Amino acid sequence: MSIWFTEELHPYYRKGIHIKKILADEQTQFQHVQFVETEFFGKAMILDGIIQLTERDNMGYHEMIVHVPMLAVGKPKRVLIVGGGDGGSLQQVLRYPSVEEAVVCELDQRVVDLSREHFASFGDPWVDPRAKLLVRDAFGFLEENPGQFDVIISDTTDPIGMAERLFSDEFYRLAVRALTPGGAAATQCEQPFFDTDLIKTIYQAARKLVRNPAYYYANIPTYPGGGIGFMYVSDTPWEKGLNAPFPPGLNNYINPEVHKAAFALPEFFRKELYG
Ligand code: SPD
């Protein structure tokens, strides 16, 4: 079997990966979920036609979205993951011995079930007694839990359809309200070339909520533009994490140099964002 999966981001931009086998293909209550075996990237999960992760390059995404806020906070105890039903962020969060509870607020139970079946490489983090899955919408949960979480990770798909609200000012307001004092959030925050205006809007919203928001970036070959950025949202400066020890078991993407360099932005984008 030989198929090219093509993700069309805009009428003027597409990217493709070569697929060897389709492992699962179903329309859930919420979205079109596909798991595929690729030629080069191992297994991949695709939601509504958008590549979410592959076994080979997900580490840049999950390590950076999780460890940057976790290291800045120091010894986080309670962590909330919004989305993240594939378990990749959860695996990283649970590396910290300080974590007592990691709540994953995921809308689609099928994403969790199929990921457990196909992503054995994540080591089934759900069996850890500290992991707690809530199959529900994150908005209501955030509303009900002010001041509860040391770290919040918004590990979402792109701002299309039901995920659009997770990129709104209101979501950021609720997420910051759900943080403990000095807590930190990191959110999936799209691609500087393609999503400049959205990122600027989010940064402006974050500036009204916290003292030290900042944008950072990771290389992910299977995402549009070859990478994706994250919004760090906290009163605690991200630089505080540069002196913190990494948790055990990290040897794939983040290191002290990558951690620091991720916040260096290309000049066209730095000017757009920070003026
Ligand atoms: N453009 C694709 C962005 C996908 C981000 N979500 C990834 C989920 C991995 N846990």
Side-chain angles (χ1 to χ4, degrees):
M1 184 179 189
S2 175
I3 316 172
W4 278 90
F5 167 78
T6 305
E7 180 175 326
E8 181 170 329
L9 181 69
H10 294 289
Y12 50 82
Y13 183 90
R14 292 178 187 174
K15 68 178 173 55
I17 53 172
H18 192 241
I19 288 173
K20 289 198 290 191
K21 193 174 175 189
I22 295 172
L23 304 168
D25 190 336
E26 58 179 83
Q27 182 66 45
T28 72
Q29 191 188 343
F30 302 102
Q31 56 204 337
H32 182 200
V33 180
Q34 293 168 297
F35 281 74
V36 297
E37 178 78 48
T38 73
E39 175 81 37
F40 181 77
F41 291 100
K43 292 179 189 167
M45 179 174 79
I46 302 167
L47 299 181
D48 285 336
I50 299 169
I51 295 175
Q52 297 299 314
L53 65 101
T54 76
E55 287 183 312
R56 190 153 186 164
D57 70 355
N58 82 85
M59 75 279 199
Y61 177 89
H62 289 126
E63 290 188 16
M64 293 305 279
I65 199 170
V66 168
H67 298 303
V68 168
M70 296 287 279
L71 292 167
V73 166
K75 290 195 162 85
K77 290 186 180 156
R78 293 197 77 212
V79 178
L80 171 66
I81 300 167
V82 173
D86 51 72
S89 290
L90 180 62
Q91 181 195 35
Q92 299 302 326
V93 164
L94 294 173
R95 291 190 192 286
Y96 292 77
S98 66
V99 169
E100 294 169 3
E101 184 178 54
V103 178
V104 180
C105 207
E106 163 65 55
L107 200 55
D108 196 340
Q109 176 75 51
R110 289 301 290 153
V111 168
V112 178
D113 295 343
L114 288 164
S115 297
R116 287 186 84 174
E117 188 181 333
H118 294 291
F119 290 140
S121 48
F122 288 160
D124 204 6
W126 305 99
V127 298
D128 189 305
R130 297 172 294 165
K132 183 174 172 189
L133 173 64
L134 299 177
V135 179
R136 60 173 291 190
D137 176 61
F139 263 76
F141 183 73
L142 286 169
E143 260 164 14
E144 292 159 23
N145 286 280
Q148 289 299 309
F149 293 98
D150 302 313
V151 171
I152 297 177
I153 312 289
S154 182
D155 178 10
T156 69
T157 183
D158 290 333
I160 298 165
M162 64 184 180
E164 204 173 343
R165 287 196 313 152
L166 301 171
F167 293 78
S168 66
D169 290 10
E170 179 61 359
F171 174 77
Y172 277 79
R173 188 186 71 75
L174 286 173
V176 168
R177 182 171 160 269
L179 289 172
T180 53
T187 63
Q188 192 275 82
C189 206
E190 296 295 340
Q191 222 287 335
F193 273 96
F194 297 125
D195 307 297
T196 316
D197 290 343
L198 173 71
I199 299 167
K200 276 170 75 175
T201 303
I202 290 174
Y203 178 70
Q204 295 300 337
R207 274 186 59 180
K208 293 185 188 138
L209 296 166
V210 295
R211 282 199 289 277
N212 292 295
Y215 188 82
Y216 64 105
Y217 191 76
N219 297 307
I220 324 284
T222 56
Y223 286 169
I228 202 160
F230 311 92
M231 195 63 76
Y232 173 84
V233 183
S234 181
D235 286 334
T236 304
W238 66 267
E239 290 92 336
K240 196 164 169 234
L242 291 174
N243 301 317
F246 286 122
L250 276 185
N251 58 5
N252 278 313
Y253 190 90
I254 195 169
N255 60 32
E257 292 76 25
V258 165
H259 186 175
K260 191 171 175 187
F263 286 85
L265 304 179
E267 187 57 12
F268 83 93
F269 185 63
R270 190 199 62 75
K271 277 191 297 211
E272 283 279 356
L273 202 58
Y274 301 140

